[in-house]
Amino acid sequence: MNKLRKLGWSSTNEDQDTQLMARVTTVQKNSYRISDGEMEFLAHVSGKFLNDAGSSLDFPAIGDWVEVKKLRDEGKAVINRVLPRKSRFIRQAAGEVTEAQIVAANIDTVLIVNSLNHDLNVRRIERYILSTYESGAMPVVVLTKKDECTQREVDQAISQVEEVAIGVPIIAISSVSGEGMVDLLEHLPIGRTAALLGSSGVGKSTLVNTLLSSEVQETKGIRESDSRGRHTTTHREMFMLPNGALIIDTPGMRELQLWQGESAIDTTFQDVEQFTDKCRFTDCKHETEPGCGVKAAIGNGELTKDRFQSYVKLQRELAYEKRKQDQKAKLNEKNRWKQVSKDLRSKYKYNR
């Protein structure tokens, strides 16, 4: 039991046979590395798992607890089942296909990493906060490369982020000088799991190296013209920090495409929703209606137009994604019944 606890095993899993349990610590395409707190194994899913899986969400993700058959002599294991997740950060997979992708599972905290340079983007931070609340984890905004900025620039950046990160901790750090690391570690207590999320070049891998006091992750520079980074981390990997916390490094995401977030809109945009509640009409569209609380707030400076437009844009995007997902679900169900009918006809023909 103790060997699993250091991997983040909690009391909610007490009814499981711990001899069969392990945690996914690395995901690289279709291969997995898992740990039972004592030994690491190279793992793959069983044939039954493949047959039973209904979608990409059913497959193991970094941070998952899995039930496995261990082949200790070979250093390999077969994954038979994924335990229920307490949290999961999901995004719309890259490309044209409507498909969900789990970035990390069973995480307590999401460290939303932005650098204090040209890459600072409050609209992107809004998206990450929304998806984090929807995942079941808690967000913390981490602003890196403090050593490259003046204190005035740092204060201005924090002020910008505060306008969209309502009630969210914001920590400015320097992986070079170590400034801010003590504050950051307060959000990384023993036995808790955090995921580092952000664009390429914002300093996620450098931060991991700093926290571990070891060069475990390769790092690359950024273009000076626009502060854009190059992809360094190519897979998801979990590390144990000296203080007993666990941290997951992930490849940079140029843009976070939302998959879900309807239930987290009110938490993410609580500043906007306090004004929508003041509208005279419950179906107010905040356009030309009289007695609109939102228009009044924008007019007197209590709410910025950009913040409200972002709120509307994300609501529309979520509604659009929901329609696409519903259409895909209907198509999948139709194809499934077609296959069932085809199988039944073949079986009937064979039995005759």
Side-chain angles (χ1 to χ4, degrees):
M1 177 65 71
N2 288 336
K3 64 181 183 178
L4 289 178
R5 286 204 184 283
K6 70 180 184 180
L7 293 173
W9 185 265
S10 67
S11 57
T12 57
N13 296 323
E14 296 295 354
D15 59 337
Q16 305 294 331
D17 184 350
T18 57
Q19 297 301 312
L20 303 176
M21 296 301 119
R23 195 171 192 191
V24 179
T25 58
T26 305
V27 175
Q28 200 164 12
K29 293 187 177 179
N30 296 322
S31 67
Y32 309 91
R33 187 165 290 279
I34 64 173
S35 173
D36 62 4
E38 189 175 71
M39 181 175 174
E40 287 195 338
F41 304 84
L42 188 63
H44 65 272
V45 297
S46 67
K48 184 178 185 304
F49 189 109
L50 281 172
N51 289 330
D52 293 343
S55 73
S56 58
L57 296 178
D58 295 328
F59 283 86
I62 186 79
D64 265 330
W65 289 102
V66 289
E67 183 181 288
V68 300
K69 179 181 179 182
K70 303 171 187 176
L71 308 173
R72 289 189 176 274
D73 293 342
E74 300 177 36
K76 296 181 180 179
V78 179
I79 299 173
N80 294 316
R81 183 169 71 96
V82 175
L83 270 63
R85 298 160 173 139
K86 71 175 183 180
S87 64
R88 58 181 191 176
F89 190 103
I90 302 178
R91 71 162 182 167
Q92 159 74 16
E96 299 298 322
V97 179
T98 302
E99 187 172 305
Q101 180 185 55
I102 299 181
V103 178
N106 297 313
I107 48 178
D108 302 291
T109 305
V110 171
L111 302 180
I112 302 167
V113 187
N114 264 244
S115 56
L116 288 160
N117 53 25
H118 300 122
D119 188 69
L120 183 64
N121 186 319
V122 295
R123 301 280 82 91
R124 186 188 301 143
I125 290 172
E126 281 177 334
R127 287 172 167 268
Y128 277 103
I129 291 173
L130 177 63
S131 293
T132 299
Y133 280 133
E134 187 71 24
S135 77
M138 295 301 294
V140 174
V141 177
V142 180
L143 303 177
T144 61
K145 307 184 182 181
K146 186 178 181 180
D147 53 286
E148 299 178 11
C149 306
T150 64
Q151 188 57 50
R152 182 181 178 184
E153 290 171 331
V154 173
D155 292 340
Q156 287 176 338
I158 290 176
S159 180
Q160 289 179 50
V161 176
E162 282 176 337
E163 293 181 4
V164 301
I166 311 300
V168 177
I170 304 168
I171 304 169
I173 68 165
S174 167
S175 294
V176 175
S177 68
E179 193 174 356
M181 290 299 171
V182 173
D183 294 333
L184 178 58
L185 285 170
E186 289 182 4
H187 299 278
L188 301 171
I190 184 171
R192 307 283 277 183
T193 303
L196 288 168
L197 301 180
S199 302
S200 300
V202 297
K204 298 189 302 297
S205 295
T206 302
L207 177 54
V208 170
N209 291 340
T210 301
L211 290 170
L212 289 168
S213 299
S214 177
E215 295 294 317
V216 296
Q217 293 290 76
E218 181 187 358
T219 59
K220 291 181 180 178
I222 59 172
R223 296 195 301 261
E224 291 185 8
S225 59
D226 59 4
S227 300
R228 292 292 179 89
R230 291 171 288 173
H231 290 283
T232 302
T233 302
T234 57
H235 61 277
R236 300 174 180 88
E237 187 169 359
M238 179 187 293
F239 301 92
M240 182 176 291
L241 301 184
N243 71 342
L246 298 134
I247 195 161
I248 296 170
D249 193 12
T250 64
M253 290 185 280
R254 181 61 64 199
E255 186 170 343
L256 174 65
Q257 289 185 278
L258 300 178
W259 178 258
Q260 52 187 197
E262 298 94 331
S263 64
I265 277 281
D266 57 345
T267 304
T268 308
F269 289 90
Q270 53 190 280
D271 57 325
V272 178
E273 300 235 328
Q274 68 173 316
F275 298 116
T276 63
D277 292 339
K278 294 179 181 178
C279 292
R280 182 185 303 175
F281 304 106
T282 55
D283 60 347
C284 182
K285 292 181 173 57
H286 320 299
E287 294 172 352
T288 58
E289 297 87 346
C292 174
V294 170
K295 289 196 300 179
I298 292 174
N300 61 30
E302 291 182 274
L303 179 67
T304 66
K305 190 174 182 180
D306 285 346
R307 175 71 167 166
F308 174 66
Q309 288 177 337
S310 181
Y311 168 77
V312 173
K313 179 183 177 182
L314 291 178
Q315 282 188 318
R316 288 174 177 166
E317 184 175 333
L318 287 167
Y320 174 69
E321 289 299 331
K322 185 71 165 58
R323 288 195 298 273
K324 285 204 303 181
Q325 291 165 30
D326 289 345
Q327 289 169 357
K328 183 183 179 184
K330 289 178 182 177
L331 180 61
N332 288 344
E333 185 68 6
K334 182 179 179 181
N335 290 336
R336 188 176 75 85
W337 281 109
K338 276 185 177 179
Q339 186 61 46
V340 169
S341 298
K342 183 179 179 180
D343 292 343
L344 286 173
R345 285 196 300 270
S346 298
K347 183 177 180 181
Y348 175 74
K349 183 178 180 180
Y350 176 78
N351 289 335
R352 290 182 63 186

